Each structure stands twice: as structure tokens, then as C-alpha cells.
């Protein structure tokens, strides 16, 4: 359904050209859920906005690459052609529902507007469709709540309304950018369950962008790990969680809080800071923070290489070398009395 080929998204700033997305390639199949994970600043949201062509041009520009949606290169389409695809075939759920919903219009009016923009139907039928959508996303007393304003809904209910607006035209691809970040864990679980139910009902493909690996484990079929604008590992949930082949992915997993941790165990963080995307480091972008870095990492810019069936990682270490390094690191931490999380 979607094929991104060697996409580069650059942003012209006063400090220089920011290489926000740097040679990203991946595919999304019909009905599949693909999770994009990484630290803040890794390029996840810019990648999502690039697919939707929502990055302002200028300062954003695309020196290389293709974004093929059902064979059409979105980078080559006019704004008028893109408007037919946005909302109608590809929809997006943004992170903060309060800033995405217009506070001076009723929820029902905003839903009806989204439907009428893309669908040829009467206003009365659009209103019926809006009520049906609110019911689908679990809004109680949907007909009455059509007349309420965004501030009259809780955070979780506002997120449900955003999902309803995104589903207004039965899109083939739904992009969810941190859809549960501002919600408590109970509401988060409800929203994720809702997205799964919607996917089963409509057969929608989903790209979910998150830094929460717990969400990934529940939702994803395939995982893309991003670092400094690049995909550094790509594989199934089992590959990423149990057979990670890139030190950054392994470091992310080790930094997760654990329910079985004892009171004296500290949270293991990734040392250092993400690189400056105006002037990335030479060689491997992760080498200044990597516990396994060698002098070769300063000279070689690793590309994604096959580590298994549908599993790729960008690291100069072979899987055997990586496993040996992890074991040596584990022994070293054990001697220093550092809690072992692997």
C-alpha cells in the first residue's frame, strides 16, 4: 500500500540544514500495523508529516526519495491532488487533541465538515454518519454530544473524537502520532483497544509513532527503530524485543522500567545526547553513545544489513560479535554491582 524509498527530508534553518529524515525506506501492507519508535528528535514526526506532505515548503524540502501510495508518488502531486488523498485515503491522528480540535465549533459540526469535504452526500446523511462514528469510537449518548464543544469532553474522549474524524471517510492508511502520550494508562489501554477494533472492522493499515515500547508490544506487526533521522533497525516485534541486533535498540530496551525491579535497582539510561542533525557525527551516528563502539565506528557509516527473515540492522558488528559484546558488558556490569536488565 505504501512504499517509502530513500526519503530525505531537510529543513532550512538559521543554524543550517537539518537532516531530519535521512535516507529512510520501508513498506506498509494493507491491514498491517507498523510502529516507528525512537527518542524525541529522532525524526519520527517529521517522517509522518512527510508522508502526509504537511511539512511547510519552504523551509522543508525533499532532495531525494519517493513516497509511493498505491503507486502514486505523493512528492510529485499538486496541493489540489493531495487534498483528495488527505483525509480521504490517508488520515492522521495528532498528539494533542485540544490543539487539533477547533474550540469554537461543536464536535458535530467538525465531524460533519470532515465528511462533507471528502464525501458527496447531503448534510443530513453526513450528520447521521457523524453520529455513527461517535458510537463506533465509544462516545456515549452520541446524538446529544454532537452539540458539545471540545472543552466539554475529557482528554480520552477528545482523542476518541479525533479518531472518529480520522475515520470519517474510511481511509486505507491511518497515521497515529503519539496518540496516547497525554493520557493516563487506563485511558491509554482503551484507546489502543479502540484502534485494534477499528482496524478489524475497517481493515485499515496503521502507522503508529511512539516512544512507548509497551504500546509497540501490544499493537505492532512490524517495528522501525529510528535514530538521528535514520532507520537503524527494522523487524518484527519478536525480532526487536528478543533478537535486537543494533546497540541503540538494545539500549532502548534496557532503559525500560521493569515491574520485577527491586527497590535498590536504578533505571539504566542511555548516556549522552542525540546528535546535532545540522552536522551529524562522521561514521555511525550512534557511536558517541554506544557502549560497544570501536575506532572503526568513527570511519564506517553502517547501512541496514540482513539479520534474519524480514529483519535488518545498521551496525558493523555481526550478530555473533554483538552477542559476545553484550555478554562481556553483562559480566562487567555484574562485577560493578550494576543491575542486569537484558
Amino acid at each position: 500500500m505504501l512504499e517509502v524509498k530513500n526519503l530525505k527530508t531537510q529543513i532550512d534553518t538559521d543554524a543550517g540544514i537539518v537532516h531530519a529524515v535521512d535516507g529512510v525506506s520501508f513498506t506498509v501492507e494493507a491491514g498491517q500495523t507498523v510502529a516507528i519508535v525512537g527518542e524525541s528528535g529522532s525524526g519520527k514526526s517529521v517522517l509522518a508529516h512527510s508522508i502526509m506532505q504537511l511539512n511547510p515548503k519552504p523551509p522543508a524540502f525533499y532532495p531525494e526519495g519517493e513516497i509511493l501510495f498505491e503507486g502514486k508518488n505523493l512528492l510529485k502531486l499538486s496541493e489540489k491532488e493531495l487534498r483528495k488523498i488527505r483525509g480521504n485515503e490517508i488520515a492522521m491522528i495528532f498528539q494533542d487533541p485540544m490543539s487539533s480540535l477547533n474550540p469554537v465549533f461543536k464536535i458535530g459540526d467538525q465531524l460533519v465538515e470532515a465528511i462533507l469535504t471528502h464525501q458527496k452526500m447531503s448534510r443530513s446523511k453526513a450528520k447521521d454518519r457523524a453520529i455513527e462514528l461517535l458510537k463506533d469510537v465509544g462516545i456515549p449518548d452520541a446524538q446529544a454530544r454532537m452539540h458539545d464543544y471540545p472543552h466539554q469532553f475529557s482528554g480520552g474522549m477528545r482523542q476518541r473524537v479525533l479518531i472518529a474524524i480520522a475515520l470519517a471517510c474510511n481511509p486505507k492508511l491511518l497515521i497515529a502520532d503519539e496518540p496516547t502520550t497525554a493520557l493516563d494508562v487506563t485511558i491509554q489501554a482503551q484507546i489502543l483497544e479502540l484502534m485494534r477494533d477499528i482496524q478489524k472492522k475497517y481493515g485499515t493499515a496503521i502507522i503508529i509513532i511512539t516512544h512507548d515500547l509497551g504500546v509497540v508490544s501490544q499493537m505492532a506487526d512490524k517495528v522501525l527503530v529510528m535514530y538521528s533521522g535514520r532507520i537503524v533497525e527494522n523487524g518484527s516485534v519478536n525480532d526487536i524485543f528478543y533478537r535486537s541486533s543494533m546497540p541503540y535498540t538494545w539500549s532502548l530496551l534496557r532503559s525500560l522500567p521493569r515491574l520485577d525491579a527491586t527497590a535498590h535497582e536504578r533505571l539504566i539510561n542511555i548516556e549522552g545526547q542525540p546528535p546535532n542533525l545540522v552536522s551529524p557525527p562522521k561514521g555511525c551516528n550512534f557511536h558517541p553513545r554506544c557502549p560497544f563502539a570501536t575506532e572503526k565506528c568513527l570511519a564506517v557509516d553502517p547501512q541496514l544489513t540482513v539479520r534474519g527473515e524480514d529483519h535488518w540492522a545498521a551496525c558493523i558488528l555481526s550478530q555473533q560479535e554483538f552477542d559476545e559484546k553484550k555478554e562481556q558488558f553483562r559480566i562487567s556490569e555484574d562485577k560493578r554491582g550494576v543491575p542486569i536488565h537484558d
Side-chain angles (χ1 to χ4, degrees), residues 223-225 231-234 240 244-246 249 304 311-312:
V223 185
L224 311 178
V225 182
I231 292 176
V232 295
E233 190 157 6
N234 178 348
I240 298 302
S244 60
S245 300
M246 203 279 173
T249 308
L304 288 170
H311 184 198
W312 295 265

Side-chain angles (χ1 to χ4, degrees), residues 218-274:
Q218 296 177 57
M219 291 287 296
D221 300 309
K222 181 167 73 173
V223 185
L224 311 178
V225 182
M226 284 193 75
Y227 184 75
S228 67
R230 298 182 174 188
I231 292 176
V232 295
E233 190 157 6
N234 178 348
S236 68
V237 170
N238 283 338
D239 287 332
I240 298 302
F241 277 79
Y242 303 111
R243 294 183 291 274
S244 60
S245 300
M246 203 279 173
Y248 177 63
T249 308
W250 179 70
S251 298
L252 279 180
L253 292 167
R254 293 178 78 244
S255 67
L256 281 175
R258 297 170 64 103
L259 291 175
D260 60 352
T262 58
H264 73 278
E265 291 184 347
R266 64 177 177 83
L267 189 65
I268 300 173
N269 65 316
I270 304 175
E271 301 292 339
Q273 297 294 324

